[in-house]
Amino acid sequence: MQNAPRLALSVATAALALSACATTTSQTPLPEAKNLALGQQAYADGPIVQPVEVLEDSRCPADVMCAWAGRVRVKMLWIRSGGRQQEFEVTLGQRTQLADGSILLERVTPERRSAAKVIKPADYRFDFRFDGGY
């Protein structure tokens, strides 16, 4: 009978520990920042980012010869600790300072085509790379 309080405490501690594990493992990990759609959050090798809106897509269609290649600018969110959000903008092929490094919008798909005048927002996909955090 003297061991009953210790046994009850051990059982309660084990139950609490198991419930904490169940809570932690039920979260789905965020994807890496490749093939990311508008509105989708992902880890970009450190920061959590989310493309929100295509501000400009003036790329030359892939099936046309142009004097200027054009550019893509995207409005982004940096999701910080505590759920705080900070807006920033990225341009295809240019580094943008973020946190303790820089983020690069490496690729935007689909390519523009001369026959297709507009790309629907839901069709855009983005690849990002973050360098920093050393």
Side-chain angles (χ1 to χ4, degrees):
M1 283 307 249
Q2 293 176 351
N3 288 336
R6 273 193 221 152
L7 180 60
L9 181 60
S10 296
V11 169
T13 302
L16 183 61
L18 288 175
S19 69
C21 290
T23 304
T24 305
T25 57
S26 67
Q27 296 177 359
T28 55
L30 289 173
E32 68 174 283
K34 302 290 181 198
N35 202 37
L36 200 60
L38 288 172
Q40 184 179 14
Q41 292 181 1
Y43 283 112
D45 302 322
I48 299 172
V49 296
Q50 176 183 341
V52 176
E53 176 185 4
V54 176
L55 300 171
E56 175 187 351
D57 185 354
S58 60
R59 293 175 293 168
C60 178
D63 55 346
V64 174
M65 294 282 291
C66 297
W68 185 58
R71 66 181 181 177
V72 178
R73 294 182 312 118
V74 180
K75 178 180 174 182
M76 301 286 297
L77 287 178
W78 173 22
I79 314 300
R80 302 178 71 181
S81 63
R84 295 178 295 144
Q85 300 178 352
Q86 180 177 335
E87 285 186 9
F88 66 102
E89 184 180 307
V90 294
T91 300
L92 179 62
Q94 296 179 7
R95 296 207 157 276
T96 301
Q97 289 302 121
L98 182 67
D100 57 350
S102 65
I103 192 163
L104 175 66
L105 174 55
E106 293 184 302
R107 191 172 82 125
V108 177
T109 57
E111 291 182 328
R112 291 191 63 218
R113 296 280 174 189
S114 58
K117 299 295 182 202
V118 177
I119 298 172
K120 294 181 223 164
D123 292 341
Y124 277 100
R125 296 296 180 268
F126 310 95
D127 289 356
F128 296 95
R129 187 178 77 222
F130 180 77
D131 293 314
Y134 306 107

